Amino acid sequence: MRATPVPDEVHGGAAEPPGRVRSLLGDSMVRNSAFLLGATVVLACGGFVFWQFAAHLSSPAEVGRAGALISASTLIATFALLGMNNSVIRFLHRSDAAATVNTGTTVVAAAATVGSVLFLVGVRWFAPALDLLRHPAAMLLFALFTVTLAVSLVNDSVFIGLQRSGYILTRNTAVVALRLLLLTALVGLGATGIFTAYSAAVALGLLLYLVVLERRFGLPSRPRIDRVRLGEMWRYSAGNYLATAILMTPTLIMPVLIAQRVDAEHAAYFYIASLLASVLVFVPQAAARSFFADAAAQHGAGLRASLARVIRIVAIAEVPALLALIALGHVGLGLFGPSYTAAYPVLVLLGVTSALTSVGYVGSTVLMIAGRLRLLCGLSAVAGTTSVAGAYLFVGHGLVWAGWSLLTGELILAGSYVVVIRSVLRRSAALDTEPGTAPAPSRRSPARRLAAAGASRGAELWRRYVERRATNVTGTLPRRGLLVVAPHPDDETFGAGATIARCRAAGIPVTVVVATDGARSTRSGKLLPRELATIRRAEVVTACRHLGVGAADVLHLDLPDGELAGHAAELTAVLCRIVAERRPERILIPAAQDLLADHVAAHRVALRVALDAGLGRCVLAYPVWAWTEGPWFLGAPRGDRAATTWWAFGLLFSARRPVSVSTAGHLAAKRRAIAAHTSQTTNLTGEPDWSWLRPAWCGLFLRDVEVFLPADPRLAADPTTGGTA
């Protein structure tokens, strides 16, 4: 079960909020964004100093050639990502994280190698101005540095996905220092020396990444591809890859296009102007990447609140940054040399374009989270084509036309994304609300507080009536054995803890199957999902020991939390084996009316296994979220709310009565078992974002009886597909 906050009416008042600074620092998304922003600022400031030195130590033509080389290398590395950077974030928290990282890295390295070779073969035809790439040594260096850049970009995503962006800040600091040291040694080599100093530092920084991943996170880098994982990643990454490549192409190709259609000197002017204008993308880029990592780690929970927070952060940062760029841009360009001030009109246009790009970062992230990849690709294609075509046709009339072309494309994209973001903000209440997830506490009018109190009182009356109507079966314990299927570590305790303890006290064998690892029960900036999974595994063993079940009878499948429906085959195989070996007299499964995806999947699969084994009459369902959220189910999506509310009231009159088991004599054991789930019943790390179950909520399961619902064969699933039979 996922621990989620509950309303004040349930837990008796929210805790006093921490200080604003402490709250912000405790927000994993804000903290991750801050580190990413710091990493970007360090890299940009270092780049500013680097290019200042290069501009004063080399001619504009050499700087232009070096900028074109770096842009070409970055363009190839970006295309070589194949969208794997986003897929790594998306799939990192699933089982076998090393397979995700190594598969993504290996594929990207291979793609960067192929892309570099193709570029070097054709460079004499489409970019003859880069004649320095005709020497074998220069060609080898270009390919090597392009591959290391691509692999570094993937590893950036690994640390973002782990929500440990502080390591990116450390790496970038080292890269900046190395670039300046190498530039002083290699500047005499002209454009080749500038390019080598710039890129070799990234290669050395990659070594730091690889060491940290292996020693700190247990993710050794190996050149291997997991075909199953590659298939999953590619299906997701294809659209992301195409959209990202289209979006980045205009900016990255522009220096090469200008060098070819105008001259290398003007390419240098444009490159430096774009470097200064890129300051405006720091905040939206960092916030959007953290937003995506946070949504991936939490399965999209809290999307509306996170989106609103990102928009607020970006809006506050962009307006003053744009005004400062316009006011100080002429001075900034002059620092590179008097001739660079000619690029000021382009700088202003690129500044406005970069400010609009913030809308694109947020909008594209929303579409990636929502899986609207075709729309993402379509919008990107229209904007990218407009920018490149305009620059190709008009840049010969003046450098400023490159800026106008990019701005036009970005205006098209920003306008489209504004519509997308507004649509998500209007409709995302359902995305944020998982069944059983209570809305965040808010200031309510007296009328609303009265209505909430009435709803809470009505829910308690409903629970009492269900308990009174249930048939008491305490005296008919399953002598041959009991099997309990728990979708998450702790569901067995809340739903059937006293019944388990009663059976064990009578010497009846009990087997508990815990389907998922529970790694996504909350967001945390202090614990990795796999670390939380380890904690929850130990907690369920301790809880079951309090109930009288030994560790040998607690079976952990460790399937990915939130993805049980996609692993129906594994759950089916285990349950079939246990049912065949132990032939339990009673099988307890989660109620389908809990509505959580994992609860529904466990219900359907377990019910089908029981039916196929001729044990359909032995199945009862224990309600968890259905017990706390019924009969109103206000936290459920609108499409499910009416049906579940109808079911809840129908339960009061249905001929198929629920059954109950007395908790007398075993309530203390159940209370100790609930307390053993520390990560779910306390704020384990002290983080403001930590979701946990308040004592009053837990108290709803410490009653005189435990209620179980009759299973409906119509809800059984096909064990091969997980679909409804």
Side-chain angles (χ1 to χ4, degrees), residues 272-520:
I272 296 301
S274 64
L275 179 69
L276 294 179
S278 67
V279 171
L280 275 77
V281 305
F282 294 172
V283 171
Q285 187 179 55
R289 294 292 281 173
S290 286
F291 175 37
F292 181 56
D294 195 66
Q298 300 305 320
H299 255 344
L303 178 63
R304 182 185 176 89
S306 295
L307 177 58
R309 207 154 63 238
V310 168
I311 293 173
R312 189 163 55 248
I313 291 170
V314 170
I316 291 172
E318 289 301 278
V319 174
L322 177 59
L323 295 176
L325 181 73
I326 294 173
L328 303 174
H330 200 279
V331 176
L333 289 169
L335 295 175
F336 292 87
S339 60
Y340 286 88
T341 57
Y344 178 74
V346 180
L347 174 63
V348 173
L349 291 172
L350 292 179
V352 177
T353 301
S354 297
L356 288 173
T357 300
S358 62
V359 181
Y361 274 116
V362 177
S364 61
T365 303
V366 170
L367 290 181
M368 284 193 290
I369 293 170
R372 302 287 301 279
L373 301 182
R374 289 186 179 180
L375 178 59
L376 178 62
C377 291
L379 294 176
S380 302
V382 171
T385 301
T386 301
S387 296
V388 173
Y392 184 84
L393 293 173
F394 301 113
V395 75
H397 299 291
L399 193 60
V400 71
W401 286 100
W404 279 114
S405 300
L406 290 171
L407 178 58
T408 302
E410 200 60 46
L411 280 169
I412 295 172
L413 199 59
S416 303
Y417 279 141
V418 166
V419 176
V420 170
I421 294 170
R422 289 182 62 185
S423 174
V424 169
L425 284 174
R426 283 198 307 267
R427 298 181 299 164
S428 63
L431 291 175
D432 278 357
T433 307
E434 203 173 27
T437 301
S442 60
R443 295 181 179 178
R444 294 171 175 164
S445 65
R448 288 189 176 184
R449 286 199 299 270
L450 182 63
S456 179
R457 178 61 179 167
E460 178 57 25
L461 291 174
W462 173 78
R463 283 188 286 268
R464 290 180 183 178
Y465 192 84
V466 170
E467 289 172 336
R468 285 200 298 269
R469 192 168 188 272
T471 302
N472 193 300
V473 295
T474 306
T476 57
L477 295 177
R479 298 295 170 183
R480 291 200 311 271
L482 174 68
L483 170 62
V484 182
V485 180
H488 306 107
D490 75 357
D491 287 315
E492 75 300 322
T493 301
F494 283 107
T499 301
I500 293 172
R502 181 175 292 278
C503 287
R504 289 302 300 132
I508 298 170
V510 176
T511 302
V512 177
V513 176
V514 183
T516 72
D517 58 13
R520 295 179 176 176

